[in-house]
């Protein structure tokens, strides 16, 4: 077991970062609950992928997702503009593809990205990580793998097929099916 360096910042337990993660999760849950057509055949619901990162860049393990960008450059601070964040997240869920990168200070990166897989020389091998669940599609598998990176605090997904919300940390995950979500977003 590795001992934590006393100079490291424990982002996963940091109060402000936890508030940020909770805000994103609650917003994702509300987007899922607001969509009323989940049971209709041939209908795809809103989908989301967020990554909360502690590093200054994701350039070394992500690529831009074409022209997919955060829709409102004035509403990029999650903790300061809750309504703007919710509106932009709803638009991204319905019209954009790629992961939304958020720094631990709560600022959304404008460019949506595709995270690259770990290479065989990576710090973590597939044998050490949690297996993929049967319900996971490519978005969820990417979020699981990406959550194992040292500079990624948390990844979260909203399934466009079922409305489930999943939180990934350090290659582990906790998932909540849509039927078990509770509406906690405050208008």
């Amino acid at each position: 077991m590795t001992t934590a360096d006393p100079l490291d910042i424990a982002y996963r337990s940091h109060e402000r970062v936890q508030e940020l993660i909770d805000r994103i999760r609650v917003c994702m849950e509300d987007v899922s609950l607001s969509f009323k057509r989940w049971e209709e055949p041939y209908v795809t619901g809103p989908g989301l992928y967020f990554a909360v990162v502690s590093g200054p860049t994701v350039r070394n393990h992500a690529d831009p997702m074409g022209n997919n960008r955060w829709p409102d450059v004035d509403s990029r601070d999650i903790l300061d503009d809750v309504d703007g964040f919710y509106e932009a997240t709803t638009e991204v869920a319905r019209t954009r593809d790629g992961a939304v990168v958020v720094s631990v200070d709560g600022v959304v990166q404008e460019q949506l990205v595709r995270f690259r897989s770990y290479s065989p020389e990576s710090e973590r091998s597939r044998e050490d990580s949690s297996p993929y669940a049967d319900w996971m599609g490519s978005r969820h598998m990417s979020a699981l793998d990406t959550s194992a990176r040292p500079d990624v605090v948390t990844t979260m997904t909203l399934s466009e097929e079922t409305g489930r919300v999943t939180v990934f940390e350090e290659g582990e995950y906790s998932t909540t099916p849509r039927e078990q979500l509770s509406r906690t977003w405050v208008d």
Side-chain angles (χ1 to χ4, degrees):
M1 176 176 238
T2 306
T3 306
D5 185 318
L7 299 179
D8 286 348
I9 299 170
Y11 286 115
R12 284 184 179 86
S13 61
H14 192 279
E15 185 178 332
R16 184 166 164 87
V17 175
Q18 281 305 304
E19 178 184 353
L20 169 67
I21 291 167
D22 290 344
R23 179 125 342 134
I24 296 169
R25 182 187 46 76
V26 167
C27 183
M28 292 174 86
E29 289 178 2
D30 195 68
V31 169
S32 177
L33 292 169
S34 296
F35 186 72
K36 303 298 182 202
R37 300 178 57 199
W38 289 110
E39 304 302 321
E40 293 181 30
Y42 312 111
V43 172
T44 301
L48 289 164
Y49 179 176
F50 276 89
V52 178
V53 300
S54 61
T57 183
V58 294
R59 178 180 303 122
N60 294 332
H61 52 268
D63 296 309
M65 271 303 273
N67 292 326
N68 290 292
R69 297 187 176 291
W70 190 252
D72 187 352
V73 293
D74 295 328
S75 295
R76 291 180 44 212
D77 190 325
I78 293 172
L79 297 172
D80 285 345
D81 185 5
V82 177
D83 293 332
F85 171 70
Y86 179 77
E87 289 173 24
T89 297
T90 301
E91 183 176 336
V92 167
R94 293 180 180 153
T95 64
R96 308 283 197 287
D97 194 15
V100 178
V101 178
V102 181
S103 61
V104 290
D105 65 355
V107 176
V108 176
Q109 179 177 318
E110 186 177 354
Q111 177 67 58
L112 276 60
V113 303
R114 178 193 67 81
F115 284 101
R116 290 184 225 122
S117 298
Y118 268 129
S119 68
E121 304 83 37
S122 72
E123 302 153 33
R124 184 180 173 110
S125 69
R126 275 306 308 150
E127 294 83 37
D128 295 337
S129 65
S130 297
Y132 300 129
D134 291 344
W135 56 264
M136 288 184 178
S138 59
R139 174 181 294 153
H140 312 289
M141 289 184 223
S142 172
L144 178 66
D145 291 345
T146 299
S147 75
R149 294 183 182 278
D151 62 339
V152 175
V153 177
T154 300
T155 58
M156 292 173 265
T157 59
L158 166 60
S159 172
E160 63 188 10
E161 294 172 354
T162 64
R164 95 174 39 236
V165 174
T166 308
V167 177
F168 304 85
E169 291 183 350
E170 297 181 314
E172 303 286 333
Y173 65 90
S174 167
T175 189
T176 308
R178 184 176 188 280
E179 306 77 45
Q180 296 175 9
L181 297 176
S182 60
R183 183 169 292 245
T184 56
W185 188 262
V186 180
D187 293 297

